[in-house]
Amino acid sequence: MTADIQEILVSEEELQSLCDKLAKQITDDYKKSDRKLVLICILKGSLMFTTELMKRIDIPLEIDFMKVSSYGTKTVSSGYINIHLDIKREDMEEVDFLIIEDIVDSGKTLSHLVRYLKERGAGSVRTCTLLDKPDRRAVDFDPDYCGKVIPDAFVVGFGLDFNEKYRNLPYVGILKPEVYGG
Ligand code: IMP
Ligand code: MG
């Protein structure tokens, strides 16, 4: 697996400190809210990030899961968002939703999900991404919390995949373009 990595972009140590930083901001921002905090882990890419983040957040919270796709097997967004797994809740207006995403690219996935949850009556909706590639933005979208801004490269590891592979790498690395035919 490591032979397919061109360069380590975010080391294990840096990932830990990014999670510390984000969890502290989230704890400070939500501790006075009278709604319940629900983290929505966007499967599958945000699995590792969500677990690392949630254990550092020092206020009561619930987790929920959604599964969406826009990518298929390519490295370019189709722009069409499919919801494969949705949340089922009766208490939408009593909830502060914080959507946890691995990476923002075109911005289409998160801007769509924020709109969707607001339309369903959510008390509040914010977004937290580990990584952001603002150079690739196709819609007007800014995450509320961002671990690290990165250049326009295809990255894998710490949950992020290419064709379902590399999610188990403990760091985030740039995939060699020859692996995906780039
Ligand atoms: P967006 O809707 O274009 O912002 O796409 C966001 C989704 O694209 C993320 O949740 C990832 O699943 C996927 N994605 C974008 N860039 C990368 C990358 O560099 N590596 C792995 N997945 C990526
Ligand atoms: Mg994803």
Side-chain angles (χ1 to χ4, degrees), residues 124-169:
S124 78
V125 187
R126 283 188 190 156
T127 57
C128 174
T129 187
L130 175 65
L131 304 171
D132 190 4
K133 294 197 278 196
D135 293 348
R136 291 184 45 96
R137 208 64 99 245
V139 295
D140 184 20
F141 175 80
D142 266 322
D144 298 288
Y145 303 92
C146 171
K148 186 171 178 154
V149 171
I150 63 165
D152 177 12
F154 197 81
V155 294
V156 294
F158 199 68
L160 290 119
D161 75 308
F162 173 65
N163 275 350
E164 297 300 325
K165 263 183 78 183
Y166 310 102
R167 293 192 196 275
N168 53 325
L169 287 173

Side-chain angles (χ1 to χ4, degrees), residues 42-46 68 101-103 109 160-161 167:
I42 305 300
L43 296 171
K44 303 170 189 171
S46 305
V68 300
E101 179 62 301
D102 49 2
I103 190 165
T109 304
L160 290 119
D161 75 308
R167 293 192 196 275

Side-chain angles (χ1 to χ4, degrees), residues 26-181:
I26 292 163
T27 302
D28 287 348
D29 290 354
Y30 285 93
K31 67 184 169 208
K32 292 212 178 72
S33 174
D34 46 19
R35 287 187 284 252
K36 35 188 158 177
L37 176 59
V38 175
L39 307 186
I40 302 185
C41 170
I42 305 300
L43 296 171
K44 303 170 189 171
S46 305
L47 179 70
M48 241 195 252
F49 178 40
T50 303
T51 56
E52 288 301 314
L53 188 67
M54 67 185 280
K55 65 190 184 188
R56 294 169 165 82
I57 297 175
D58 198 18
I59 48 173
L61 58 78
E62 295 178 21
I63 56 164
D64 228 321
F65 298 91
M66 289 182 81
K67 189 165 190 287
V68 300
S69 70
S70 65
Y71 256 71
T73 57
K74 300 197 184 72
T75 56
V76 181
S77 173
S78 66
Y80 181 74
I81 313 304
N82 275 303
I83 297 181
H84 304 283
L85 173 69
D86 204 348
I87 53 165
K88 295 184 186 67
R89 304 190 70 103
E90 305 293 326
D91 60 353
M92 293 295 287
E93 62 286 342
E94 295 157 37
V95 174
D96 288 323
F97 288 102
L98 183 57
I99 305 173
I100 312 297
E101 179 62 301
D102 49 2
I103 190 165
V104 183
D105 189 57
S106 71
K108 288 175 183 170
T109 304
L110 282 185
S111 60
H112 179 88
L113 285 180
V114 169
R115 207 177 325 121
Y116 176 70
L117 291 175
K118 283 184 175 165
E119 277 167 14
R120 284 179 58 184
S124 78
V125 187
R126 283 188 190 156
T127 57
C128 174
T129 187
L130 175 65
L131 304 171
D132 190 4
K133 294 197 278 196
D135 293 348
R136 291 184 45 96
R137 208 64 99 245
V139 295
D140 184 20
F141 175 80
D142 266 322
D144 298 288
Y145 303 92
C146 171
K148 186 171 178 154
V149 171
I150 63 165
D152 177 12
F154 197 81
V155 294
V156 294
F158 199 68
L160 290 119
D161 75 308
F162 173 65
N163 275 350
E164 297 300 325
K165 263 183 78 183
Y166 310 102
R167 293 192 196 275
N168 53 325
L169 287 173
Y171 53 80
V172 174
I174 298 177
L175 194 61
K176 286 183 179 164
E178 57 261 38
V179 177
Y180 57 87

